[in-house]
Amino acid sequence: MNNPKPLRFRDRYPDLGTGPIPVAMNTSPEYFEREREAIFMQEWWCVGREDEIPKPGDYLVREIEAINASVIVMRGDDGQVRAFHNVCQHRGNKLITDERGNCRGMVCGFHAWTYDTRGCLCHVPHEHRLHVI
């Protein structure tokens, strides 16, 4: 019995063509932004292992350049592992600058807004003086 020859990739997808691939795909900032939105922002990211943060308050910080994000992965005081954007909701300042460690909470270095190990805002200094514009 004759086994048919498997189709080559280009034969299965003739619309892709066989000519040279444009260099712009590898160098264009606009093309990369489209890839960032269409691919990188839609996928899960492996940033560490659960056993790297065994105790409550243990954390990892990862800078994910492909999506312009700094992420904190922390074991809460309840034992749950959570991930947060590494930014204060007040002024966008980074909450943690070390790559790993242990803490009882996160404090923004700008105005000392404080978050617990579950990521909840728990203290705003001089909150009574704040006003909404």
Side-chain angles (χ1 to χ4, degrees):
M1 178 177 227
N2 246 357
N3 284 338
K5 187 175 179 182
L7 288 176
R8 294 179 61 168
F9 187 83
R10 70 176 187 201
D11 297 327
R12 289 186 299 202
Y13 303 98
D15 293 347
L16 294 179
T18 58
I21 297 172
V23 175
M25 291 180 170
N26 297 309
T27 59
S28 163
E30 295 82 15
Y31 195 88
F32 179 66
E33 285 305 317
R34 289 194 343 244
E35 277 188 333
R36 182 188 310 249
E37 290 297 321
I39 299 170
F40 302 123
M41 295 291 281
Q42 307 302 318
E43 297 299 323
W44 287 91
W45 286 82
C46 179
V47 295
R49 294 174 39 104
E50 184 178 5
D51 62 2
E52 293 179 85
I53 51 173
K55 300 180 304 231
D58 284 352
Y59 64 84
L60 306 168
V61 173
R62 296 293 187 258
E63 304 298 323
I64 307 173
E65 292 183 31
I67 58 172
N68 284 332
S70 179
V71 177
I72 302 167
V73 180
M74 179 177 282
R75 186 171 299 275
D77 56 5
D78 60 352
Q80 293 295 310
V81 175
R82 296 177 180 87
F84 317 103
H85 286 280
N86 186 13
V87 295
C88 176
Q89 62 183 308
H90 179 229
R91 295 284 184 181
N93 214 36
K94 282 189 178 180
L95 293 169
I96 298 178
T97 55
D98 296 331
E99 186 175 311
R100 63 179 58 238
N102 182 283
C103 62
R104 294 187 309 175
M106 300 164 278
V107 180
C108 177
F110 195 58
H111 284 130
W113 285 33
T114 305
Y115 300 82
D116 64 19
T117 61
R118 298 178 190 204
C120 297
L121 179 63
C122 57
H123 178 69
V124 175
H126 313 292
E127 186 173 8
H128 64 281
R129 289 194 284 175
L130 294 177
H131 62 282
V132 178
I133 298 175

